[in-house]
Amino acid sequence: MRTSWRALVAVALLAGFPVLVFLVVGGLAVAEYYFFQHSGLLAIKFGILAVPVSFALLKALFSIERARGEDLPGVPVTPEDQPGLWALVRELADAVGTRPPDAITLISEVNAGVRERTGWLGLRVRRREMFIGAQLLAGLRHDQLRALLGHELAHYTNRDTRLAGLTYRGRRSIEKALTGLGGDGWFQGLIRKLFVWYAKLYFSVSAAVCRRQELAADAASARLAGTAAATSALREVAALDVAWTFYLDCYVSLGWDAGYLPDRLAAGFRSLLADDERSGELDEVRRNPPDRETSRYDTHPATADRIAALEALPPAPVRPDGAHPASEILRDPAATLEAVMTDGLSPAAKAKRRLDWDTLVDVGLRHNSARFAAEVLAGRTLTEALDLLDAGRGAELADPESKAPSSAGPRAQREFLATSVRKRLSVVVTPALVEAGVARWKLSWAGPAELVVDEPHAGELPAALDAAAAADPDTAPLRRLLAAAGALPVPS
């Protein structure tokens, strides 16, 4: 796509930023000189206002060219490390008519992108870089990866990334100027309003250019990999983002409080994706990719709009060799993905000890269930809790948020609270059975971890809990079960 008038306006607005800064600073200097000629006191008062404003604006202006971009976190891979990946990237770069990046970095994010480090307001390219998320390599097909990387490389065409670099540095500079112009004074407020207006104009124009670039890059990805692969890649990235967040929150964190993390992050994520039930849940995300609310200042169109734009184009044929997993392009994919995902952990996470998945689930949930039981018992022993039930004081074990009607009699209150008491009694009994060695937690990728209780205790436990938590409690069956399991002393 040739540079549109909007792109020219965006560049002009960026070039106009230093002009605006110098006009404001120059105007303040002229005003200061005028006041100094007529009243030294007035010049001092005005200088107290003008000098900090001028300093903030000039500092923001001169930060544009000093900004070189932060180093990418992740694991850099050379052509010798990953020849297959580099060969694909070079093939796609040649197909879109640009030169390949100077560096590829694998990162632990559901994301991929390109950037150029430039000088002279983007006119001189110092270095081209590409980053690819390990989660994408773990979850995409080869044709979807081809579409995704083709999209990113298409940003190099027509110097899109140079404009993006200019855009983002311009945004940062204007944001810095606005931050430096804080304060409640009327003068700072007046200058700030001027730059807020300018920022809105710049963000609106530059964002429109970026959105057009995104749609053009999508069209290029469809030509490289096929329309079906390009649209399915957009849907799959949305699903992988949801899956990775769920994986971190519900699986990786299972042993966190006990001080452990899984020793195979990548393998666990791929197991989650491969589970039929989880895949079915993610199908809804694929059909309806989530999107935050967009505004005129967003640099990316909504995913649904991008898919619709692709489907409106003449269909590009599907490549015949794209159905195999994207990870097969890697040399030693299991070790590579594991290294990248581990590299993306926080320092606190890296300090955790590592366990295999089965042990992690059992240890982590054993720890958590013991903590929950301690909260319910509130300093009591399990035997003392059962004694409370026998004494008709089971309400002391119920959830404090569960309140029986004050007008209810003692039996009615026990009936009202029976469900809560039964639930919390189960919380107390579970770690006792686990500690006794007759129960354990079992990993499931299809749903929450399952508590597996040995027989005959598993068959007897529900009825024993029901009896102990009833309005007329009978703890004898539960006491016998716990004693037989070795979780309570055998009555003498």
Side-chain angles (χ1 to χ4, degrees), residues 426-491:
S426 177
V427 168
V428 170
V429 167
T430 293
L433 294 175
V434 171
E435 281 300 313
V438 298
R440 66 208 55 83
W441 295 98
K442 182 180 178 182
L443 173 67
S444 171
W445 295 113
E450 178 188 1
L451 180 69
V452 179
V453 181
D454 294 341
E455 294 294 352
H457 316 299
E460 299 170 354
L461 184 59
L465 288 171
D466 290 342
D472 295 317
D474 178 10
T475 65
L478 185 57
R479 289 178 189 268
R480 286 195 297 271
L481 184 154
L482 292 172
L488 277 182
V490 178

Side-chain angles (χ1 to χ4, degrees), residues 21 59 65 87 127 158 166 178 221 275 323 396:
V21 170
K59 182 179 179 182
E65 274 304 302
R127 182 176 174 84
N158 297 326
L166 284 169
L178 296 177
S221 75
D275 184 84
E396 296 181 32

Side-chain angles (χ1 to χ4, degrees), residues 343-362:
D343 181 80
L345 294 173
S346 67
K350 290 179 180 178
K352 301 286 184 180
R353 290 165 290 179
R354 311 295 284 271
L355 291 174
D356 66 86
W357 271 106
D358 290 330
T359 306
L360 175 84
V361 170
D362 188 55

